[in-house]
Amino acid sequence: QRASEALNLQDRLERRVTVGLSFPQIPGLRDVRAGLDLVHLRDNFRDFGLDKNGAVLTLTYQPERRFTGSLSTEVEQNTVGLFDSRQTLEDFLSMTSDPRLQRLLRVPAGVSALGSLRLSFAVDLRDSAFTPTDGLYASAALEWAHTILTERPQDYSHFFKLTLTTNGYIRLAEGWTLALQARGGRVFHLAPNSRVYPNRAYFMGGVDSLRGLLQDQVIPQAQVEAIDAARRAGTPLPAAAITRTGELCYLARAELRFPIQGPVEGGVFVDVGNVWAFADAMRLEAFASVRVSAGLGLRLSTPVGPIAADYGFNLTRRDDQDIQEPFGAFHFSIGLF
């Protein structure tokens, strides 16, 4: 509290200001719409303050319901100020277990700015966008990102990020559906000293990936191997040296959905995947290392989409001193893949 009291009035005032402009039709460009979003954010927490400014311009082309293409450009500027000047951002992240703070702090320390250009396509052949029981959905996204401003040379970013996703749905019987998903992505660096901007990295664990673990809990495979090697050598890695940001990932999920009573349905699932921090140094045997979770849950159909409650079991659990993972995890979500 004393640290925050030392701030000037402008920094003490928490705020969130957003402005959105939509252009449903652009003269001369059929089936193209545009949107402009501006955001200004100031949040104060016990140990740090966060400023964020951003602008996103998006062009969307949709000649029919089944196909969508978009091109967007974004500029974002982030400022993270720790109230304790003796502490680094890496040290703070290693000591906090609050997932909300960890997600907020997916930016470099100090002042940084990033510019990006993103091209994406999606084909939707499902019978329903909310509760699909048959059909296929596929999407691809390619993003180019480049650092505009950074206070530390080690936070420089210049890369392409490619992400591919395919969902398939098979109706087995009345009310019974087999849902399948395959997803993968990789970061391709365009400069020798480039590193992935934290909020553009891949993360694994949680309701949208491996449901046997908490959100973004999986430590990349290269980090796991480094932790094991350091422990065998008798020199454990400091907590600040362990990160969860990945540059390559793959994920495969299968879920059987079945009726129970009225709007209530059940689900049994298996999730398989992993994430790597150093894609260029990845070896074939490391790529074969997978994390597996399985579980079951309930789904409630509502007018705005299904509400889901799942419990996943961590079948490849790491519970040693350096990597303490749970036996399983409970997840609540609105919507299904």
Side-chain angles (χ1 to χ4, degrees), residues 30-33 60-69:
R30 184 181 177 184
D31 302 319
V32 177
R33 62 181 186 271
T60 303
Y61 173 64
Q62 191 173 27
E64 57 175 308
R65 183 192 67 83
R66 296 178 298 176
F67 175 81
T68 304

Side-chain angles (χ1 to χ4, degrees), residues 263-289:
V264 180
E265 298 181 345
V268 179
F269 59 84
V270 176
D271 306 324
V272 178
N274 210 343
V275 62
W276 288 265
F278 312 110
D280 293 334
M282 186 190 65
R283 305 182 311 278
L284 182 60
E285 58 269 28
F287 188 73
S289 301

Side-chain angles (χ1 to χ4, degrees), residues 48-314:
F48 68 92
L50 171 65
D51 285 287
K52 179 180 177 65
N53 298 287
V56 183
L57 175 64
T58 303
L59 298 176
T60 303
Y61 173 64
Q62 191 173 27
E64 57 175 308
R65 183 192 67 83
R66 296 178 298 176
F67 175 81
T68 304
S70 69
L71 177 66
S72 64
T73 181
E74 178 180 3
V75 176
E76 67 171 276
Q77 182 264 328
N78 299 284
T79 304
V80 178
L82 293 173
F83 297 147
D84 185 352
S85 60
R86 298 166 299 177
Q87 191 178 43
T88 66
L89 182 62
E90 290 79 9
D91 289 336
F92 174 76
L93 286 172
S94 69
M95 292 186 295
T96 180
S97 58
D98 187 335
R100 178 169 177 259
L101 296 185
Q102 292 173 344
R103 294 176 74 88
L104 276 174
L105 290 173
R106 288 181 181 172
V107 293
V111 181
S112 65
L114 186 78
S116 66
L117 185 67
R118 189 173 189 269
L119 179 65
S120 65
F121 300 95
V123 177
D124 190 350
L125 304 178
R126 300 172 293 179
D127 58 350
S128 169
F130 290 119
T131 56
T133 61
D134 185 66
L136 180 74
Y137 175 86
S139 67
L142 178 65
E143 181 179 30
W144 169 78
H146 188 270
T147 295
I148 300 173
L149 171 68
T150 181
E151 291 186 344
R152 306 189 306 177
Q154 64 266 35
D155 292 328
Y156 174 77
S157 297
H158 190 198
F159 58 85
F160 280 117
K161 178 184 178 182
L162 175 66
T163 305
L164 305 172
T165 303
T166 301
N167 297 349
Y169 306 89
I170 304 172
R171 185 185 295 112
L172 302 176
E174 184 64 31
W176 291 71
T177 301
L178 178 63
L180 305 169
Q181 182 182 75
R183 188 166 81 226
R186 170 141 186 205
V187 171
F188 299 87
H189 289 285
L190 301 176
N193 59 334
S194 170
R195 60 174 289 183
V196 64
Y197 201 80
N199 65 14
R200 296 305 201 276
Y202 293 108
F203 298 85
M204 191 70 68
V207 68
D208 58 347
S209 55
L210 295 172
R211 284 168 278 187
L213 293 106
L214 301 177
Q215 190 68 38
D216 306 334
Q217 189 178 24
V218 176
I219 295 175
Q221 187 62 32
Q223 291 271 287
V224 171
E225 295 180 0
I227 291 170
D228 290 342
R231 186 176 61 250
R232 289 194 297 268
T235 56
L237 288 179
I242 301 174
T243 66
R244 287 178 166 79
T245 55
E247 299 178 2
L248 182 146
C249 74
Y250 69 75
L251 175 70
R253 301 202 285 174
E255 180 171 300
L256 178 63
R257 300 166 184 167
F258 53 88
I260 295 180
Q261 181 66 42
V264 180
E265 298 181 345
V268 179
F269 59 84
V270 176
D271 306 324
V272 178
N274 210 343
V275 62
W276 288 265
F278 312 110
D280 293 334
M282 186 190 65
R283 305 182 311 278
L284 182 60
E285 58 269 28
F287 188 73
S289 301
V290 297
R291 307 301 309 276
V292 182
S293 63
L296 65 167
L298 296 173
R299 288 90 176 86
L300 176 64
S301 297
T302 73
V304 295
I307 297 175
D310 292 320
Y311 188 85
F313 298 92
N314 184 3

Side-chain angles (χ1 to χ4, degrees), residues 325-337:
E325 295 179 346
F327 174 80
F330 176 81
H331 299 284
F332 176 84
S333 64
I334 298 177
L336 300 168
F337 74 85

